[in-house]
């Protein structure tokens, strides 16, 4: 993907649509307890993007998640109509967002390049050999 291409996606019901100008800075799988609960899966795959590169149409609801493993609250944003998770905005770095890869129209090109908070990974999850992994976040 080039910086000129636009990614698009949205929620399950179609009430929220978004466009992202440019390539993600990283694709990360997060195994923290909060991301697992928020995604409803074994881990959350996130595209790390600049907040100003994303435009959103439709109503996002939010929840301020105070109980994160990093200690910094994260604003979880989701469709107000169907509840599909769309993005997370860390209060410690609000100019960056974690866009939920599963909400993309074409997510297949975005395999995780690293895994974080692996100390919380479920014991049956297999992380591919050769990928960077961090027991905490990469800066923690």
């Amino acid at each position: 993907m080039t910086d000129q291409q636009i990614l698009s996606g949205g929620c399950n019901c179609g009430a929220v649509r978004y466009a992202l100008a440019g390539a993600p800075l990283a694709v990360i799988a997060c195994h923290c307890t909060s991301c697992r609960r928020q995604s409803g899966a074994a881990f959350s795959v996130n595209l790390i993007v600049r907040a100003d590169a994303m435009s959103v149409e439709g109503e996002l609801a939010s929840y301020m998640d105070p109980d994160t493993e990093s200690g910094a609250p994260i604003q979880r944003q989701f469709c107000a109509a169907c509840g599909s998770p769309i993005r997370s905005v860390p209060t410690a770095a609000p100019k960056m967002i974690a866009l939920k890869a599963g909400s993309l129209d074409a997510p297949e090109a975005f395999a995780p390049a690293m895994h974080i908070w692996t100390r919380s990974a479920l014991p049956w999850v297999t992380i591919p050999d050769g990928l960077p992994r961090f027991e905490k976040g990469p800066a923690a």
Side-chain angles (χ1 to χ4, degrees), residues 18-56:
Y18 64 79
L20 179 68
L25 302 172
V27 182
I28 298 174
C30 183
H31 295 264
C32 80
T33 304
S34 293
C35 279
R36 281 202 326 257
R37 287 184 178 141
Q38 190 265 340
S39 69
F43 52 88
S44 179
V45 179
N46 302 290
L47 278 67
I48 307 304
V49 300
R50 289 186 356 261
D52 63 1
M54 186 175 182
S55 61
V56 178

Side-chain angles (χ1 to χ4, degrees), residues 70-131:
S70 72
I74 294 178
Q75 184 182 44
R76 309 285 185 179
Q77 296 182 337
F78 48 92
C79 172
C82 70
S84 295
I86 302 295
R87 63 186 182 184
S88 296
V89 182
T91 59
K95 292 184 179 183
M96 305 303 289
I97 58 173
L99 173 65
K100 303 303 177 182
S103 69
L104 288 165
D105 291 337
E108 52 277 348
F110 299 100
M114 78 170 65
H115 289 251
I116 62 173
W117 296 101
T118 58
R119 71 180 183 185
S120 305
L122 296 174
W124 47 263
V125 170
T126 302
I127 298 171
D129 290 336
L131 287 183

